[in-house]
Amino acid sequence: MEENKLCSWNVFRSVFAIFQWWSFNVAVIIMNKWIFQKIDFKFPLTVSCVHFICSSIGAYVVIRVLKVKPLISVEPEDRWRRIFPMSFVFCINIVLGNVSLRYIPVSFMQTIKSFTPATTVILQWMIWRKYFDWRIWASLVPIVGGILLTSVTELSFNMFGFCAALFGCLATSTKTILAESLLHGYKFDSINTVYYMAPFATMILAVPALLLEGAGVVQWIQTHPTPMSAFIIIIGSGVMAFCLNFSIFYVIHSTTAVTFNVAGNLKVAFAVAFSWMIFKNPISPMNAFGCGVTLVGCTFYGYVRHRLANQLPGTPRTPRTPRSRLEMAPLVNDKIDDKV
């Protein structure tokens, strides 16, 4: 009886964790798109800066005031030598995501974002000379094919937005790869990561946002009929952005790796469907099919990666595996890809 109750509680906790993760993720995406499209606040650097400020304050309150998570201590030298470079890439990643949201539909942006596993594998293979099992390469075929099909059939295609989303994938991959070396020895969770990176990201982005968008923001305030209500929505999106990081911390501790992978891909489908209901952007049947192929490919990739990671020692390898190179699974950490 006790075991049944414990099992039921674990299932309920996992479902609740996934649902609140989905909710915050969709809320951030929809609010950002609403800010750019409906409020006509077309300043992605400023929006990103507001997100970083809200995340910095939120992480400080959670760790220092509420003490929900213990602070992971980092030496001052390591903050500049390790955390700062990560924060720079982290900043570029978020900015490019918001820039892409300004120019392309949520459905297209989310589909391109699913290209991240492929960019990570390719970067590690080309630059870091890492070797990957042939099954990893095979699992990337439907992801690449789905992205190509979605891009060709996208009815609201915008080259600038497409490039921003694609370079955002590269930034995400770079951040993940750098984290493996720069943060070696530090077991950061999502909250501590934001605690250290968000202030640096704010410092990096504040000056460019002021120089490039400051005059436009002032003009927007003077011409917009209800600037205060609009700013409440903008700040609200920043609060939701921090809540998304907190929800990632909760869902990681409440689900298995396989469940997280499947839920992450279903989250994309959920975000695409919800955004379509709100913004009514046109989606052709072939475009929807391409998006579906991409999500199936991401799920298959996660399954292959999980199987390889749990392969028993001594299990025979493929004959094409060089004995002189380290065979490894990709370093994509999907659990931190949604950080804002």
Side-chain angles (χ1 to χ4, degrees), residues 299-322:
T299 304
F300 179 57
Y301 164 82
Y303 170 76
V304 171
R305 191 186 65 177
H306 178 73
R307 286 291 300 271
L308 291 176
N310 290 278
Q311 191 166 265
L312 294 175
T315 303
R317 306 283 183 176
T318 171
R320 285 181 285 179
T321 303

Side-chain angles (χ1 to χ4, degrees), residues 163-174:
C163 291
L166 191 60
F167 281 108
C169 290
L170 291 173
T172 301
S173 300
T174 303

Side-chain angles (χ1 to χ4, degrees), residues 6-193:
L6 180 61
C7 182
S8 299
W9 166 248
N10 289 335
V11 170
F12 172 79
R13 187 178 66 172
S14 298
V15 171
F16 176 76
I18 291 171
F19 179 76
Q20 53 91 33
W21 175 41
W22 285 5
S23 300
F24 285 126
N25 180 265
V26 172
V28 171
I29 294 172
I30 298 300
M31 290 180 76
N32 285 354
K33 188 64 177 179
W34 189 275
I35 289 168
F36 296 133
Q37 185 170 319
K38 300 296 184 179
I39 299 180
D40 201 36
F41 188 83
K42 301 185 183 299
F43 307 104
L45 298 183
T46 304
V47 172
S48 301
C49 204
V50 170
H51 284 197
F52 292 142
I53 293 172
C54 292
S55 295
S56 300
I57 296 173
Y60 181 87
V61 171
V62 168
I63 292 177
R64 291 288 193 177
V65 180
L66 301 179
K67 300 185 184 301
V68 175
K69 278 291 296 181
L71 175 65
I72 297 176
S73 179
V74 178
E75 295 295 328
E77 181 183 354
D78 280 346
R79 295 186 187 186
W80 288 99
R81 188 166 57 93
R82 299 188 180 193
I83 304 296
F84 184 79
M86 285 289 299
S87 302
F88 184 78
V89 181
F90 171 65
C91 179
I92 294 175
N93 177 33
I94 300 303
V95 169
L96 288 174
N98 284 330
V99 169
S100 66
L101 267 181
R102 176 184 169 183
Y103 291 99
I104 59 178
V106 172
S107 57
F108 191 31
M109 178 262 195
Q110 286 287 292
T111 305
I112 298 173
K113 191 176 179 181
S114 301
F115 194 56
T116 302
T119 57
T120 304
V121 171
I122 293 170
L123 279 177
Q124 287 184 297
W125 175 67
M126 292 181 62
I127 300 176
W128 281 270
R129 300 299 181 185
K130 300 296 184 180
Y131 178 82
F132 296 100
D133 189 279
W134 67 270
R135 287 166 287 185
I136 290 293
W137 291 106
S139 68
L140 297 179
V141 173
I143 298 178
V144 175
I147 293 291
L148 290 175
L149 182 59
T150 304
S151 302
V152 171
T153 59
E154 175 58 45
L155 299 177
S156 304
F157 185 86
N158 179 282
M159 180 57 72
F160 187 75
F162 171 77
C163 291
L166 191 60
F167 281 108
C169 290
L170 291 173
T172 301
S173 300
T174 303
K175 174 173 65 74
T176 304
I177 295 170
L178 288 178
E180 188 72 11
S181 56
L182 291 179
L183 301 185
H184 180 71
Y186 291 103
K187 295 183 178 180
F188 280 116
D189 53 72
S190 60
I191 304 301
N192 272 277
T193 302

Side-chain angles (χ1 to χ4, degrees), residues 187-204:
K187 295 183 178 180
F188 280 116
D189 53 72
S190 60
I191 304 301
N192 272 277
T193 302
V194 173
Y195 177 86
Y196 283 109
M197 290 189 184
F200 275 133
T202 304
M203 180 179 65
I204 293 168

Side-chain angles (χ1 to χ4, degrees), residues 266-298:
L266 290 177
K267 170 180 64 67
V268 175
F270 183 65
V272 168
F274 204 83
S275 68
W276 179 82
M277 288 189 293
I278 293 178
F279 298 105
K280 302 296 183 182
N281 56 287
I283 301 178
S284 67
M286 288 302 293
N287 187 262
F289 178 73
C291 181
V293 170
T294 303
L295 296 182
V296 171
C298 289

